[in-house]
DNA sequence: ACCCAAACGGACGGGGGCGTCCGTTACGGT
DNA sequence: ACCGTAACGGACGCCCCCGTCCGTTTGGGT
């Protein structure tokens, strides 16, 4: 008998095809309509039946996790670049702009990034690590006197949560709005130059992230 | 025969009672959970059946409109006071703070205020009038050089939309977050003092408001 | 005390979304 | 060309929400 090790089990071509088309569809649909888009919409967009979709990704969250792997890498890269920037304040600003842009280009990713799922999806871990690094970056930017001294990392969460409010709008307006919002945020985070000590900020909230989908 | 004009038709006491309790329940439930809260939750909270609720308010939007009449008046008052303030920039800041506070204290009102319902609820008209007045206020505050010259009224919409992003959080954190957010927004809207001309802002988006509930 | 109409509320139909079952299709190895 | 099995997809059950129907209760005028 020929020793045909079925290495990692043969994957049928149509199955692999469909998997790719489902992921593409998910990126498009979730990207434009957010995570509230029905699974069947993704299925229709991919040209497959609902059962096929559920066979490849047993649950909606599984699909979401796979769908936004690329954006997660982009997010990591943004943080890494920001930390490597020789000018911390410039790095900090670029980071805000890039994160906002990522979130504006994909409603679904923004939802996933900001939403603490009941089952801890690894987006949460990502965000924690990310925020830790941001803390380091912020410390440096404060030392150069360009980031306001009363800034705390939670303020970035605050602004990212606020950024979510811009997402219920068509793609073009959303991206423009996001850019202007980011610019205002950077303006707000910048240390007040010279004499005019800006009025002290109200206390920081203890933000625990949202559970918007499925809160029984 | 005695001429008993049934002036404005007799209203039975239990009916008037229930109507009041329904409105109270609606304020509580919609205020805390937003407009996505089920009607039956309002009914349960009011201790009545669903049919009773629907008899008093034929549709969800009718209930919502009645529920937030008071907040709408408060909003008008805030705008009026701001316009009457002898210091336009102070009036402008107070206005932002008061609107944010109103929105933070009632998720439902924030939703209703920011959401352009399919059927034009008069919230939309309110908002238009309000924004027109805000434009006047902004013009004055820019003349005193305290509001940045590149501010446009749409930027206020931008920030109010962003403020919505803070609402998926428990009441206490929401209010604190809202205050800090408002402070940052005011900081961002303030004109850069002295030499440091702040970097020019990206273009303003053409924001058409959201239709989040029921987009067929 | 009586009565009837106004008001109530449990139960119903309709719609939509999630995840699953099972009969059918078609890949790909021989 | 053939066939076994992996993969497919229409149809199903379940749950939640909105708004309505109809038999029952109760306010309040006589």
């Amino acid at each position: 008998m020929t020793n045909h090790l079925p290495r990692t089990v043969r994957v049928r071509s149509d199955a692999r095809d469909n998997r790719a088309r489902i992921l593409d569809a998910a990126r498009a649909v979730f990207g434009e309509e957010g995570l509230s888009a029905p699974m069947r919409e993704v299925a229709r967009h991919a040209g497959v039946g609902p059962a096929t979709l559920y066979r490849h990704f047993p649950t909606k969250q599984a699909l979401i996790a796979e769908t936004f792997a690329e954006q997660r890498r982009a997010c990591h890269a943004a943080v890494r670049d920001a930390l490597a920037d020789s000018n911390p304040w410039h790095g900090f600003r670029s980071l805000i702009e890039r994160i906002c842009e990522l979130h504006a280009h994909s409603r679904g990713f923004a939802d996933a990034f900001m939403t603490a799922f009941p089952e801890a999806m690894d987006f949460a871990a990502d965000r924690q690590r990310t925020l830790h690094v941001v803390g380091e970056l912020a410390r440096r930017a404060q030392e150069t006197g360009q980031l306001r001294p009363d800034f705390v990392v939670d303020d970035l969460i605050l602004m990212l949560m606020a950024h979510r409010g811009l997402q219920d709008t068509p793609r073009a307006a959303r991206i423009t709005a996001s850019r202007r919002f980011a610019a205002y945020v950077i303006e707000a985070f910048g240390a007040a130059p010279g004499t005019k000590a800006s009025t002290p900020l109200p206390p920081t909230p203890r933000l625990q992230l949202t559970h918007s989908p499925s809160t029984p």
Side-chain angles (χ1 to χ4, degrees), chain A:
Chain A
M1 63 171 74
T2 50
N3 188 2
H4 273 187
L5 285 184
R7 49 183 76 226
T8 68
V9 219
R10 309 294 293 144
V11 193
R12 244 170 69 173
S13 63
D14 55 346
R16 197 156 31 78
D17 251 40
N18 277 338
R19 186 187 162 88
R21 291 169 59 196
I22 288 172
L23 281 174
D24 282 348
R27 270 184 280 271
V29 171
F30 287 145
E32 193 50 36
E33 305 184 28
L35 299 185
S36 64
M39 287 293 264
R40 306 185 111 86
E41 177 102 1
V42 178
R44 270 190 297 274
H45 199 278
V48 303
T52 298
L53 193 160
Y54 278 103
R55 193 170 319 103
H56 284 283
F57 306 93
T59 178
K60 191 171 185 176
Q61 296 186 10
L63 173 58
I64 290 167
E66 295 273 349
T67 300
F68 295 116
E70 181 190 327
Q71 273 90 339
R72 242 184 313 173
R73 277 193 297 275
C75 212
H76 284 161
V79 174
R80 208 177 331 110
D81 293 354
L83 202 60
D85 198 310
S86 61
N87 177 344
W89 173 238
H90 178 266
F92 187 83
R93 287 181 310 172
S94 309
L95 179 61
I96 290 179
E97 283 165 359
R98 285 175 70 177
I99 292 184
C100 284
E101 186 169 340
L102 277 170
H103 284 214
H105 275 77
S106 172
R107 281 184 67 172
F109 178 62
D111 285 358
F113 190 90
M114 294 308 297
T115 301
F117 276 124
E119 309 101 68
M121 212 148 114
D122 22 28
F123 281 116
D126 264 13
R127 194 175 44 236
Q128 283 312 319
R129 258 180 284 127
T130 300
L131 289 179
H132 184 261
V133 177
V134 169
E136 171 62 17
L137 183 62
R139 205 185 45 73
R140 292 195 205 161
Q142 282 170 329
E143 278 175 3
T144 73
Q146 290 164 292
L147 175 62
R148 54 190 305 155
D150 49 3
F151 171 88
V152 295
V153 175
D154 273 5
D155 288 340
L156 185 60
I157 300 188
L158 182 75
M159 289 308 182
L160 288 180
M161 286 186 67
H163 186 274
R164 283 183 70 198
L166 307 179
Q167 304 238 346
D168 291 339
T169 210
R171 179 179 172 85
R174 188 170 69 234
I175 293 177
T176 313
S178 172
R179 271 202 272 268
R180 194 163 172 104
F181 179 77
Y184 269 127
V185 167
I186 290 170
E187 205 78 5
F189 285 166
T195 62
K196 179 219 172 195
S198 53
T199 50
L201 294 171
T204 60
R206 252 290 143 249
L207 290 173
Q208 55 185 11
L209 293 181
T210 142
H211 293 239
S212 42
S214 74
T215 315

